[in-house]
Amino acid sequence: MLAATGRIGALARLVLVDGLRRYALLGLVALALAVELSGLFFFAFVPRDIGRVAVDFIVTGGWAAGLIFLFFHAVQVMSWGENRRVIHTLLSHPLSRTEYVLGVFGGLLVLLLLLDGLLAALGYGVLLLIKSWVSAVYFEQLGLVAYVLAWAGVLATQMVLLAAIVLFSGMLRGTFTVLLVSLAYYLICNGLPVALEFFREGAPLMRRFLQGLTLLFPNFSVYDYKGLVVATGNLPAWSQLAEQLAFVLLYAVLVLTVAAAVYNRRDLK
């Protein structure tokens, strides 16, 4: 068990170092920072509720940077292609395919943590700067706990999507194919709540069917807490947060278990 954990950790470090070496992380941080700083010139045109607009802009920018990381860097790292022979070496003895899945997922997850942490820290500094520029009536509240919770929600959705990408990479070959399927998965997760709202009254069979699909395609809007950053006393209960965290962890574990089973059945040829 300790030997397997060591091999998983070693592979995760390789993925982490590779991501840093290819500037996948620093490039996204620089891009997001440039977007945030450029947005400073437009907040003067917001007539009121500047705080809410600024928080939405900062958190949404970080969410977009995470999606770029997942759809391009993570998909490229995980995808099987005819011109990618590194996976043949990694999946050879003594590294098992299950260890490969967990190691690469762990390395990419650490990169996501670093990305979100850097963007959250830089974004909070930008928000403090905006708050100091405007009157208190336009930016009354900037809750640190709610701000951390908003970024935790962003990380939760990215973690679920990363686990799905790992699964799709074992089922399909080719970077572009995995990218399309991952994008379709993300769009279904966002569109399913809209369909549930459409069938809110009537069509009980269709509504039950759509509710069952939420087990496969989770509702990412549940983890959207950025509206609480500028509100007062509206934090969700700890029991609700614990339930949502348990669902994310259980979903990721189940998807990675299926991904490991798929990888164990795949032919390297």
Side-chain angles (χ1 to χ4, degrees):
M1 182 65 181
L2 292 177
T5 304
R7 291 192 294 268
I8 293 172
L11 179 57
R13 286 193 296 272
L14 286 176
V15 175
L16 175 62
V17 172
D18 180 66
L20 295 175
R21 181 178 60 83
R22 291 205 265 174
Y23 302 103
L25 183 69
L26 297 179
L28 286 173
V29 171
L31 176 63
L33 181 61
V35 172
E36 292 175 0
L37 293 179
S38 63
L40 293 176
F41 298 100
F42 299 99
F43 289 119
F45 299 98
V46 180
R48 56 183 177 180
D49 209 1
I50 297 177
R52 186 176 302 276
V53 175
V55 170
D56 287 347
F57 182 78
I58 296 296
V59 178
T60 302
W63 161 82
L67 286 187
I68 294 174
F69 173 85
L70 290 171
F71 286 141
F72 292 95
H73 180 73
V75 167
Q76 184 181 18
V77 169
M78 292 299 307
S79 297
W80 295 39
E82 297 300 329
N83 57 344
R84 287 183 62 84
R85 297 301 178 187
V86 179
I87 192 172
H88 293 72
T89 303
L90 291 175
L91 294 184
S92 62
H93 185 77
L95 188 69
S96 69
R97 302 191 181 194
T98 301
E99 292 167 355
Y100 170 79
V101 169
L102 296 179
V104 177
F105 176 82
L108 292 174
L109 183 60
V110 172
L111 282 172
L112 265 179
L113 283 169
L114 291 175
L115 176 63
D116 288 341
L118 288 173
L119 293 181
L122 293 173
Y124 193 73
V126 173
L127 290 175
L128 289 177
L129 182 62
I130 296 173
K131 193 173 187 299
S132 65
W133 284 355
V134 300
S135 175
V137 70
Y138 299 111
F139 203 150
E140 297 180 3
Q141 176 72 19
L142 181 58
L144 179 59
V145 176
Y147 183 77
V148 173
L149 183 61
W151 279 96
V154 171
L155 180 62
T157 60
Q158 293 171 350
M159 178 178 172
V160 170
L161 186 55
L162 176 60
I165 290 174
V166 173
L167 174 60
F168 298 147
S169 67
M171 300 170 61
L172 304 167
R173 286 186 183 270
T175 302
F176 187 67
T177 306
V178 176
L179 173 62
L180 287 181
V181 175
S182 302
L183 182 60
Y185 169 84
Y186 178 75
L187 293 177
I188 292 173
C189 290
N190 286 326
L192 198 56
V194 179
L196 275 170
E197 183 65 22
F198 181 78
F199 291 101
R200 185 165 55 90
E201 297 181 0
L205 292 178
M206 178 60 69
R207 181 167 178 80
R208 288 197 206 97
F209 173 72
L210 293 176
Q211 287 175 341
L213 287 180
T214 57
L215 297 176
L216 298 176
F217 305 96
N219 182 9
F220 289 152
S221 63
V222 175
Y223 307 100
D224 185 5
Y225 296 113
K226 60 179 179 293
L228 303 178
V229 179
V230 294
T232 55
N234 290 326
L235 292 177
W238 288 108
S239 58
Q240 179 183 350
L241 294 177
E243 180 181 351
Q244 293 174 354
L245 176 61
F247 176 81
V248 170
L249 294 178
L250 180 60
Y251 187 90
V253 168
L254 291 176
V255 172
L256 290 176
T257 302
V258 176
V262 171
Y263 266 82
N264 285 324
R265 293 178 176 270
R266 282 299 298 267
D267 186 6
L268 291 180
K269 295 180 180 180

